[in-house]
Amino acid sequence: MDMCNGIGIDLCEISRMEKLMADDRFMNRWFTPEEIRYVLAKGKGAAQTLAGLYAAREALAKALGSGIDFDLKEAEILHTQTGTPYFRLNGRLAERVSGNRILLSITHDAGVAAAVCILEQE
């Protein structure tokens, strides 16, 4: 039986991401090149996708109970062929979360994106 070690949730306004997308410093600080390519490929849906990725990182930090005390790019968000989001952790964050499974859900509606992250001990 898996045990829940943490849960986090976050919301992000899509309009906020529409403005920040033009700032290369913001994009490169928070997101990996693969994530940026994924977002830009979404066309008109790019800002809502970006807001979801942003909210997912915040939700992970809350699930860890530490706030963002890790390199943001160590928590890369990728998607399965069917579109299910998941974290690919790298570096010190991967070591820190070792032995845990991370469940992630992202949604968008009414001008906001939301993400929920559950950290389970394997």
Side-chain angles (χ1 to χ4, degrees):
M1 178 180 202
D2 293 336
M3 184 175 94
C4 181
N5 286 343
I7 187 168
I9 186 170
D10 195 68
L11 297 173
C12 181
E13 289 184 15
I14 294 168
S15 62
R16 178 177 173 216
M17 291 297 113
E18 287 173 343
K19 296 171 189 167
L20 289 171
M21 283 182 68
D23 183 351
D24 286 339
R25 289 175 300 155
F26 171 78
M27 295 291 287
N28 291 314
R29 177 176 177 239
W30 275 85
F31 306 100
T32 66
E34 190 168 344
E35 289 172 313
I36 293 169
R37 280 190 297 276
Y38 180 81
V39 166
L40 296 178
K42 291 295 183 175
K44 290 184 178 182
Q48 78 175 15
T49 299
L50 189 67
L53 299 182
Y54 185 91
R57 281 187 170 79
E58 293 278 355
L60 175 60
K62 291 172 182 175
L64 291 169
S66 62
I68 296 180
D69 65 348
F70 53 89
D71 180 341
L72 301 170
K73 291 182 182 178
E74 289 182 346
E76 184 175 33
I77 300 145
L78 303 175
H79 297 79
T80 66
Q81 288 184 337
T82 59
T84 303
Y86 66 94
F87 282 104
R88 178 169 67 188
L89 303 182
N90 303 293
R92 292 186 337 179
L93 183 59
E95 293 172 16
R96 178 176 166 189
V97 179
S98 178
N100 289 278
R101 180 171 65 151
I102 302 172
L103 305 174
L104 175 62
S105 182
I106 301 172
T107 191
H108 323 87
D109 191 28
V112 296
V116 174
C117 181
I118 299 172
L119 195 64
E120 288 185 335
Q121 184 175 1
E122 292 189 77

